[in-house]
Amino acid sequence: MLMKLFLSSLASLARSVCQRSFSKADEVSNPDLVINTVIFPSSPFSITTMDIGNFAAEFHPHEPGSDTASELLIAQLVLNDIASIQASRKCKGREDAPLSNEDMALDFQAASLNGLIRVLNDYQLASSVDRAMESDAHQLRRLSLLEQAERDDHRAAVALQDGYDLPQQTAAQRTMEQTLDQPTRELQPVLQNRGRPNSATHSVADSIDIRMQNIHLTTQVTSSTGPRDSPKNPAENLECVICGDAVVVNRSFKAPCVHYYCRGCLVNLVETSLCDESLYPLRCCRQPLPLESGVFWFITLSLRQNFLDKSREYSVPAGSRVYCSNPRCSTFLGASGYFKRNLICGDCHTISCSQCKKTAHPEEDCSDQQSMMELREMATANKWQTCPGCHAIVELSQGCYHITCRCSTQFCYLCSARWRTCDCRQWDEEQLVNDADRRVRNQFGNQVAVLQPAVHAERVRQRLEVLRENHECRQHFWRYRHGSGECEQCGDFLAVFLMRCIRCQTLVCRRCSVNRL
């Protein structure tokens, strides 16, 4: 329709040029002089004897075999000839003299040519868009198919989560599993053209690049540690390490530890890390996840910007972070530094003091932080300890005195010194007995402890002796444990299963087992 509209407009313009040209030529005393002698003698082309009607027809863009670029060049050269003639004629006459018939004809032809050039430019743009849409139609249909398959996968996952049977595979899901190796290869030339100034597919490629951030399209980009090994079959079905749903290699994220993530779980991990610092930096099996060459390909631009902003906040020690003193804002302002200074919030324009972290108080000393003093007194009364790294207050609930803070600092719970730099004992006997009992219950279940108390007590005694010799778990080995329970790390309740470390018998959710511990 767009092309037909331009062709119709161009035909109407050509007819009007012809009609107006002949009616104007009747008013000219010597039209042949104007057309044949004035305009075309200096033109480098062989067009020397044509009236205006033939001239318009010569530039008809939908004529078979016509070259729009050449027609534009010819029209521009003719305009240059007219401009040269007009310049030479102005020097010979008076400035206030009325226009002659020749001058009027030159002005009219220049205006007609300018109109024709505009139409040709519009035609060239429409042709370019038409060719781009035609060449990218297959890629656009492929993207639509990808999005439909993603919606079908989501509905299937929700059905399984609610306890229903797995729905039958849709046509979109079957098609994508059979031809998943094709989209990346077919989209590659389109993406390569992105950013080239004269590319006919520039705008379409840009729109595809934006849409790709919301679909399951695997990039399989090599990380900084080298190329990744992927299964030979790109359509091979695997399981997401978090939700356990079946994923396809070419539509999932592959971590350096060879675990696979569906897009939903990966996005959820990034979103959760924005409010849970223990998940930062993003990692799987204690190996950092590649951001620029991996994670960022699966999340939206807004989520990526929020993550980068939060990364700057997490890079500052917790005790040195300054937030906006306006309780309705609380925007991160930066590090406190060694010297007192005022920090201005860019959102609400509140000025905060970097030392006491309250509203700025020019020419006044910082008042005593009564709430902080009360918190310290409470920590001392409850025998809590302060992390030497980030100065956060830590409470020991179970296990030995070896503490690993959320800022990754390891220290002694008794004296807050860095771990293995003091002579303090490594555990409290009561805490050690409680930990041994916890481990036995997690391994064999609470029902055994109730039905066979003698057996349970003997197992606790044996586990206690082992803990006295080796109470640390340097590397976890996880196994599924069926049954409901509470994650000992994040506190979430899971109704179906938990992950159990076969060494320390810690019970955690799947996310904590791979992304937190």
Side-chain angles (χ1 to χ4, degrees):
M1 288 297 297
L2 184 63
M3 186 63 63
K4 291 181 180 179
L5 179 62
F6 276 109
L7 293 177
S8 177
S9 302
L10 188 62
S12 300
L13 178 62
R15 286 193 296 269
S16 64
V17 169
C18 294
Q19 294 172 0
R20 294 174 59 190
S21 299
F22 285 118
S23 61
K24 191 71 178 179
D26 292 339
E27 302 175 2
V28 181
S29 60
N30 191 357
D32 292 335
L33 176 63
V34 176
I35 299 171
N36 298 336
T37 306
V38 177
I39 299 179
F40 296 104
S42 61
S43 175
F45 298 94
S46 60
I47 307 173
T48 56
T49 57
M50 65 171 73
D51 55 26
I52 300 179
N54 292 334
F55 178 79
E58 180 70 18
F59 285 85
H60 209 287
H62 64 272
E63 189 173 298
S66 62
D67 184 1
T68 307
S70 300
E71 293 167 357
L72 282 171
L73 177 61
I74 294 173
Q76 188 61 50
L77 289 174
V78 174
L79 274 179
N80 294 340
D81 289 343
I82 293 176
S84 300
I85 294 172
Q86 288 178 330
S88 62
R89 291 174 64 87
K90 285 183 180 179
C91 299
K92 297 179 181 179
R94 294 176 54 185
E95 184 176 357
D96 56 348
L99 294 176
S100 62
N101 291 339
E102 291 83 356
D103 292 332
M104 293 175 62
L106 287 173
D107 291 342
F108 173 74
Q109 292 188 33
S112 299
L113 283 171
N114 283 323
L116 184 60
I117 289 176
R118 287 193 295 269
V119 173
L120 288 174
N121 284 327
D122 293 341
Y123 171 79
Q124 195 175 39
L125 175 61
S127 300
S128 174
V129 174
D130 189 33
R131 289 192 299 271
M133 293 297 295
E134 183 178 356
S135 62
D136 296 333
H138 184 65
Q139 284 85 348
L140 293 175
R141 287 194 296 269
R142 179 71 64 183
L143 289 173
S144 177
L145 188 63
L146 282 169
E147 290 184 343
Q148 181 60 44
E150 177 183 320
R151 290 191 291 268
D152 295 339
D153 290 344
H154 176 72
R155 283 194 291 268
V158 171
L160 286 177
Q161 184 178 0
D162 295 340
Y164 297 101
D165 294 336
L166 182 67
Q168 291 185 353
Q169 198 174 37
T170 63
Q173 290 173 317
R174 288 193 299 269
T175 303
M176 294 314 303
E177 286 191 1
Q178 295 171 1
T179 60
L180 271 174
D181 58 330
Q182 296 179 8
T184 304
R185 183 176 67 250
E186 292 172 352
L187 287 175
Q188 185 175 4
V190 180
L191 297 178
Q192 288 176 347
N193 286 331
R194 178 169 58 87
R196 297 181 181 177
N198 295 323
S199 172
T201 61
H202 174 67
S203 58
V204 179
D206 283 345
S207 64
I208 291 177
D209 187 45
I210 296 174
R211 298 285 294 279
M212 281 179 61
Q213 299 191 35
N214 295 317
I215 63 175
H216 286 175
L217 188 63
T218 299
T219 59
Q220 294 299 330
V221 186
T222 55
S223 64
S224 58
T225 58
R228 304 180 189 175
D229 297 329
S230 59
K232 295 181 180 180
N233 183 9
E236 179 182 349
N237 289 325
L238 299 169
E239 285 189 357
C240 173
V241 68
I242 300 298
C243 65
D245 288 348
V247 296
V248 183
V249 175
N250 281 6
R251 297 171 64 189
S252 59
F253 170 78
K254 182 180 178 182
C257 58
V258 201
H259 278 147
Y260 286 85
Y261 288 77
C262 67
R263 179 178 179 270
C265 289
L266 185 63
V267 170
N268 181 259
L269 173 62
V270 178
E271 292 176 341
T272 308
S273 68
L274 300 182
C275 53
D276 189 348
E277 191 174 354
S278 63
L279 294 174
Y280 183 85
L282 299 180
R283 58 195 181 275
C284 183
C285 299
R286 301 185 179 182
Q287 299 185 44
L289 301 182
L291 300 179
E292 294 288 346
S293 62
V295 175
F296 288 166
W297 285 80
F298 290 83
I299 63 178
T300 61
L301 293 177
S302 59
L303 180 57
R304 172 179 177 173
Q305 187 59 48
N306 292 337
F307 179 80
L308 293 176
D309 294 340
K310 206 66 177 180
S311 299
R312 286 189 285 271
E313 176 183 343
Y314 288 158
S315 63
V316 178
S320 301
R321 298 172 191 169
V322 181
Y323 297 91
C324 178
S325 56
N326 182 359
R328 295 184 178 181
C329 180
S330 301
T331 301
F332 174 67
L333 303 180
S336 57
Y338 295 101
F339 302 99
K340 176 183 176 181
R341 56 197 178 101
N342 293 332
L343 300 176
I344 303 177
C345 177
D347 294 338
C348 66
H349 307 292
T350 301
I351 305 177
S352 304
C353 175
S354 64
Q355 184 171 346
C356 65
K357 302 177 183 179
K358 295 183 179 180
T359 305
H361 40 84
E363 301 179 359
E364 293 182 8
D365 295 333
C366 296
S367 59
D368 294 335
Q369 302 182 30
Q370 184 65 27
S371 59
M372 182 59 66
M373 295 177 62
E374 294 176 356
L375 179 60
R376 296 296 180 186
E377 293 177 357
M378 183 185 300
T380 302
N382 290 275
K383 298 182 179 180
W384 298 338
Q385 194 52 267
T386 302
C387 172
C390 63
H391 305 291
I393 297 178
V394 180
E395 178 185 9
L396 177 65
S397 59
Q398 61 185 20
C400 64
Y401 293 136
H402 180 196
I403 303 298
T404 301
C405 183
R406 64 184 181 184
C407 67
S408 301
T409 301
Q410 301 183 41
F411 63 95
C412 173
Y413 187 77
L414 294 179
C415 64
S416 74
R418 300 282 179 170
W419 184 243
R420 297 190 184 280
T421 61
C422 64
D423 298 328
C424 299
R425 65 182 190 276
Q426 296 188 4
W427 63 80
D428 178 78
E429 189 66 21
E430 182 179 356
Q431 291 280 1
L432 201 64
V433 171
N434 293 337
D435 190 42
D437 180 73
R438 177 193 64 84
R439 296 191 183 200
V440 172
R441 289 177 181 271
N442 288 348
Q443 183 177 1
F444 299 99
N446 291 324
Q447 189 175 5
V448 177
V450 176
L451 298 179
Q452 301 177 0
V455 175
H456 175 74
E458 178 60 23
R459 287 171 175 171
V460 171
R461 187 191 64 78
Q462 293 176 359
R463 186 60 55 87
L464 187 62
E465 296 299 325
V466 174
L467 288 179
R468 288 195 175 98
E469 298 294 331
N470 183 16
H471 61 278
E472 295 186 14
C473 185
R474 300 183 182 275
Q475 184 176 1
H476 297 287
F477 289 89
W478 302 104
R479 296 292 184 271
Y480 284 98
R481 195 216 70 168
H482 295 283
S484 62
E486 184 179 283
C487 175
E488 296 178 358
Q489 288 293 320
C490 65
D492 288 347
F493 179 83
L494 289 88
V496 180
F497 70 91
L498 287 166
M499 303 301 297
R500 178 178 63 87
C501 176
I502 61 176
R503 288 187 171 180
C504 63
Q505 307 303 327
T506 299
L507 293 178
V508 296
C509 63
R510 188 62 173 148
R511 164 139 295 167
C512 289
S513 67
V514 295
N515 299 132
R516 188 175 273 114
L517 295 178

